Amino acid sequence: MNIDIASNKRGGICIKEYPEFNGIPDDGASQLGAIINAAVTKQSLSLRKLSTLSGICTSSISRIISGKQSANIHHLQQFSKCLDIPIEQLLQAVGVEVNMNTSSNSEFIIRIIQDILKSNGIELDDVIIDMQKELKKCEQYAKTEAGKEVIHSGFYSKIKELNGEGTIIEQLKKLYELFCSDDIDSSVQPVIGSTLLYLILTPDVIPDYVFPIGYLDDAIAVSMTVDRLSNDFNITI
């Protein structure tokens, strides 16, 4: 492997390697799928159990293993966490070259994201600035009846289009429920609406084809709004 890390231990816990699957599998399955298969076999886990642990639906796991569905960064993080597989190994399996020493898993993820973005001519700092500008525009539009109608008519079709699962999707659904609530404060609704409109209308600051983080800007927008609701309005999502 081309991975250069100081140790295969994180926080004193030994993380398993599966060197027998470092090459391209002979059975036609994806390299990532072979690694996951090896891990669940060694740990005697069913796909249903892995689904419960990871929050990824069983059908998605099955498609990822068979190579019929691409894994995004959320999938890779959950597989790494639940199966004790180094995130470096999973990233390399999906074609991301990794060659660095790291003392922090979170710092490593940020570096990987920055490197992937840079390879596509995108700077992470620019992404954040552009998103803040777009969210401000969307917040103003969310105050209008036209903006509200876009949210009501387009939210669930967009969620279906994303075909995802996990914390961010659940937070989006909770934000939409709160947006639709009769009791919502008039100052809170456009804040929530800004993220919902960003999701529905705004061309992605990070294009979806930037694998495996094409939906990262949507996740960042949700996190920004959730943090703002907590800090400014004492609302927990």
Side-chain angles (χ1 to χ4, degrees):
M1 298 176 67
N2 294 325
I3 296 174
D4 179 20
I5 53 176
S7 171
N8 69 337
K9 294 184 178 181
R10 301 279 170 78
I13 301 174
C14 182
I15 299 178
K16 302 178 181 67
E17 292 274 5
Y18 298 98
E20 62 269 38
F21 290 106
N22 284 342
I24 301 299
D26 295 329
D27 60 2
S30 68
Q31 185 176 3
L32 176 64
I35 293 171
I36 296 170
N37 257 331
V40 296
T41 299
K42 285 177 178 289
Q43 298 179 42
S44 300
L45 291 177
S46 65
L47 295 190
R48 181 172 296 181
K49 180 62 175 178
L50 178 57
S51 174
T52 300
L53 293 172
S54 66
I56 304 170
C57 70
T58 306
S59 60
S60 288
I61 295 174
S62 178
R63 289 193 298 269
I64 290 169
I65 289 176
S66 66
K68 296 179 181 178
Q69 176 179 333
S70 297
N72 60 37
I73 194 66
H74 167 72
H75 295 142
L76 299 182
Q77 286 176 302
Q78 290 303 104
F79 290 144
S80 175
K81 176 183 176 181
C82 299
L83 297 174
D84 291 337
I85 304 173
I87 189 69
E88 301 95 329
Q89 190 174 6
L90 298 180
L91 285 164
Q92 190 187 47
V94 298
V96 178
E97 290 300 322
V98 180
N99 185 24
M100 64 176 71
N101 291 317
T102 181
S103 59
S104 166
N105 194 52
S106 60
E107 290 176 2
F108 175 78
I109 292 295
I110 292 173
R111 286 284 302 277
I112 285 292
I113 291 172
Q114 289 175 323
D115 288 345
I116 294 172
L117 291 176
K118 284 182 179 180
S119 70
N120 287 272
I122 303 170
E123 293 287 342
L124 184 57
D125 289 343
D126 293 339
V127 168
I128 300 299
I129 293 172
D130 289 345
M131 287 183 59
Q132 289 172 335
K133 292 178 180 177
E134 291 299 326
L135 286 171
K136 186 172 293 186
K137 293 178 186 177
C138 289
E139 184 173 341
Q140 295 304 311
Y141 189 36
K143 295 177 181 179
T144 69
E145 291 303 316
K148 294 174 184 178
E149 177 58 27
V150 169
I151 293 171
H152 290 308
S153 62
F155 177 75
Y156 279 111
S157 60
K158 185 63 178 183
I159 290 295
K160 184 177 180 180
E161 177 187 326
L162 290 176
N163 189 30
E165 63 283 311
T167 302
I168 297 300
I169 296 297
E170 292 306 313
Q171 286 179 327
L172 278 168
K173 292 178 179 178
K174 290 178 181 178
L175 287 171
Y176 179 70
E177 290 176 4
L178 184 56
F179 180 85
C180 296
S181 172
D182 293 333
D183 300 327
I184 188 171
D185 189 279
S186 60
S187 63
V188 175
Q189 190 178 44
V191 174
I192 296 173
S194 67
T195 291
L196 301 179
L197 284 171
Y198 180 90
L199 176 76
I200 296 167
L201 292 180
T202 306
D204 290 330
V205 175
I206 302 174
D208 292 344
Y209 63 76
V210 181
F211 181 80
I213 59 173
Y215 295 103
L216 179 63
D217 57 332
D218 297 323
I220 293 174
V222 172
S223 296
M224 284 180 171
T225 297
V226 169
D227 286 346
R228 185 176 173 190
L229 290 174
S230 176
N231 295 332
D232 296 351
F233 303 99
N234 199 28
I235 297 175
T236 302
I237 301 297

